[in-house]
Amino acid sequence: MNLLSIIKYPDPILKKVCPPVAKVTKEIQQLLEDMTETMYAAPGVGLAAPQVGELKRVIVLDVSWSKEGGKKELYQLVNPKIIERSGEIEWEEGCLSILDFLQTMKRSQKVKVEALNKQGKLIVVEGEDLLAVCLQHEIDHLDGKLIIDKASRLKRKLYTDKVKKNENTLLRL
Ligand code: NI
């Protein structure tokens, strides 16, 4: 197991579109495990490969474990693709790559996602509410789409200025 470092906005890697994974190899399985550990350690409920600098269509998510008494319900998905969606829901979302930032997002309330699992087998995951939101958020990452893209220009600028200021402060230490 390796904890991976999480890339932060506005790193340009986060804006890249990731190509599909050709085959679920041992390296991909290792990436899934490392990403899972990194997600739980963060702590977060989802993580996409570009957030750890890997331009691959790979995501992990577990929306249950952080709730009180919640048991782990982990999804490790390769080449996830939304094949059905319905309803609409608004959710205030955060992102492990965009610290101290929340954005209300309009999402589908229910989604059906086709993906390969860790064994390379084709599976279908159905999610609603938080699981649906999280699937959409992580799949967006694979297309270089971030929650901050939906913010107003002013909100985005204020956030970017704050991040730059923090970076400058760190450099002076
Ligand atoms: Ni995110």
Side-chain angles (χ1 to χ4, degrees), residues 46-48 51 93-98 137-138 141 145-147:
L47 190 65
Q51 292 181 276
E93 298 177 29
C95 180
L96 289 175
S97 292
I98 316 173
H137 179 116
E138 301 314 331
H141 270 298
K145 293 182 192 162
L146 303 171
I147 55 174

Side-chain angles (χ1 to χ4, degrees), residues 98-116:
I98 316 173
L99 300 178
D100 304 319
F101 182 89
L102 292 171
Q103 180 68 29
T104 302
M105 300 290 289
K106 274 202 179 83
R107 301 287 194 185
S108 299
Q109 189 260 332
K110 250 181 181 175
V111 291
K112 202 183 260 191
V113 171
E114 198 177 73
L116 299 176

Side-chain angles (χ1 to χ4, degrees), residues 151-164:
S152 67
R153 260 174 68 181
L154 177 63
K155 187 177 172 187
R156 199 158 52 233
K157 186 182 180 315
L158 287 173
Y159 183 79
T160 310
D161 288 351
K162 192 175 84 177
V163 169
K164 277 191 194 137

Side-chain angles (χ1 to χ4, degrees), residues 45 63-64 66-67 87-95 101-110 127-138 140 146-148 150-151 155:
V45 295
V63 299
S64 303
S66 60
K67 288 183 209 145
E88 205 178 86
I89 192 170
E90 279 196 359
W91 208 281
E92 194 173 47
E93 298 177 29
C95 180
F101 182 89
L102 292 171
Q103 180 68 29
T104 302
M105 300 290 289
K106 274 202 179 83
R107 301 287 194 185
S108 299
Q109 189 260 332
K110 250 181 181 175
E128 52 182 71
D129 301 326
L130 179 56
L131 179 55
V133 166
C134 195
L135 283 162
Q136 290 166 87
H137 179 116
E138 301 314 331
D140 270 358
L146 303 171
I147 55 174
I148 200 165
K150 294 286 180 193
K155 187 177 172 187

